[in-house]
Every structure is written in C-alpha cells, then in structure tokens.
C-alpha cells in the first residue's frame, strides 16, 4: 500500500488540503483536492468494502498548477445517527496520470554504462513497475562497484570493499540498501512503494555526485587555475 499524500484518507476529500510533492514545481507543499469522482464500472464488491477507482485532481498551493491521479481505494459505508449514509475512503494505491512522469537521469560525469543501466531502471520506475525498478537500481549499483574496481566473490563483499577505495560509510550503506531492495524484488517478488523506490534512486544519485561529479568539478577548477597561472607568467626571453 502507498499513499503519497498525507491526510487524504477519510471521508470524500473534495476541497480538502493534503500534504505531498507537486509534480510540477517538485516542492513538498500543500495541495487542494479540486475534484474527486468514482469511475463508473470500476468497483468490485468485497463484503463490507468496495474496491473503487477514483479520478482525482489536485491543485498545488505553491505554483497553482493542477495534476491528475488515478486513486485506487477501499470504500467503507457507514450509517450515521440521523440515518445519513457516509462513505470512508482508504487509499490502496495512487497512479499519476498528468503530468507524465519524467524518467530520472544521472549526471553526465558518471560512466556511460552506469548511466544506461540507471536510465533503464528509471523508465521502469516512471511506468510504475517498481519491482523491475528495484532490480534495475541494484544493477546500476553493481556497475558502479565494478567500475570503481572493488573486489569480492559477491556484491555484498564488493560493496563493502569500497571502503578501502575511499568511499564513505554513507555510500556503502546506500549501496547495500539498493542491494536489499533489488534482491527482495527479484527473489521474493516484494513490491516496494513509490516513495521507497524513489529513495533508492536518490541515494544512488547522491553517491554519483560524490564519486564522479565533485571530483570532475574539482579537476576542472584545478585545470583552470593552472591555465591562469601559466598565462600570468611573463614570457621567457
């Protein structure tokens, strides 16, 4: 089960303010439910519950842009004291319909193979195939570890061996977390939530920043300083 927006569950949420990330401005902010309607023919009866799909529109309170979602819910009907029938909604899953998800990309400083494997996992994540995304992000970590020259008889040992190559404890822990998620997805068919898979992708992105982007930036600055020093020297007679 996943619920990307806090305070969404309960009675019909029309005009309610919820907390979450806007897909337009990518800010964690508040959004207002502009519309929320059940899709005809999408319900499945289940004892005292109904599984229903709802089309929901949210408006970001920061950038004022709207986004659309397909919300899968449990609907429980209750009778109030005055005889009024009320429906309570509990989120099972939410799929973003608009705007379309844009797959993630690693910085160009990362090795090409690492970027390609990460991009394939990002496509799976954007399509909502979170098991495949988990497997793919594990493969991206495996490519990074291979490129860094770590040795060991399995991925666990190679990730741990990154410490001897200068990697921080945070990077090693992040890569082990990606390994866990990939293994769970491949061997146990465990389905992680959209937020949990996104966190793995962000951990890898942060590791790439430390391992590749920052060293490349420092090397570029050093080269510029060396060129400036050389240009400032008086010509040799």
């Amino acid at each position: 089960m996943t619920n990307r927006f806090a305070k969404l569950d309960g009675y019909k949420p029309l005009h309610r303010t919820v907390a979450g990330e806007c897909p337009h401005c990518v800010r964690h902010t508040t959004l207002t439910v502009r519309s929320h309607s059940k899709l005809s023919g999408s319900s499945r009866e289940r004892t005292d519950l109904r599984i229903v799909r709802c089309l929901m529109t949210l408006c970001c309170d920061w950038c004022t842009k709207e986004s659309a979602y397909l919300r899968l819910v449990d609907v429980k009907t209750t009778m109030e004291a005055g005889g009024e029938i009320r429906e309570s909604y509990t989120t099972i899953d939410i799929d973003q319909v608009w705007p379309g998800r844009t797959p993630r990309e690693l910085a160009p400083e990362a090795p090409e193979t690492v970027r390609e494997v990460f991009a394939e996992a990002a496509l799976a994540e954007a399509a909502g195939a979170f098991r495949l995304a988990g497997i793919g992000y594990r493969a991206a970590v495996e490519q990074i570890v291979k490129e860094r020259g770590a040795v060991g008889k399995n991925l666990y040992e190679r990730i741990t061996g990154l410490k001897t190559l200068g990697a921080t404890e945070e990077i090693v822990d992040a890569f082990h977390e990606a390994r866990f998620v990939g293994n769970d997805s491949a061997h146990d068919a465990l389905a992680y939530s959209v937020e949990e898979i996104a966190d793995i992708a962000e951990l890898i992105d942060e590791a790439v920043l430390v391992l590749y982007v920052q060293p490349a930036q420092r090397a570029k600055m050093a080269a510029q300083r060396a060129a400036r020093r050389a240009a400032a020297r008086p010509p040799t007679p």
Side-chain angles (χ1 to χ4, degrees), residues 1 4 6 11 33 46 54 57 60 65 84 87 112 118 147 149 152 162 190 208 228:
M1 180 184 297
R4 4 178 349 185
Y11 294 114
V33 181
R46 200 183 70 181
C54 300
T57 304
C60 175
K65 293 182 179 179
E84 179 186 1
E87 292 181 330
E112 184 177 357
F118 184 93
E147 191 277 335
L162 287 173
L190 184 59
V208 164
R228 190 177 300 277

Side-chain angles (χ1 to χ4, degrees), residues 42 57 98 128 137 155 177 191 198 223:
S42 69
T57 304
W98 172 261
Y137 286 134
L155 185 55
E177 193 63 29

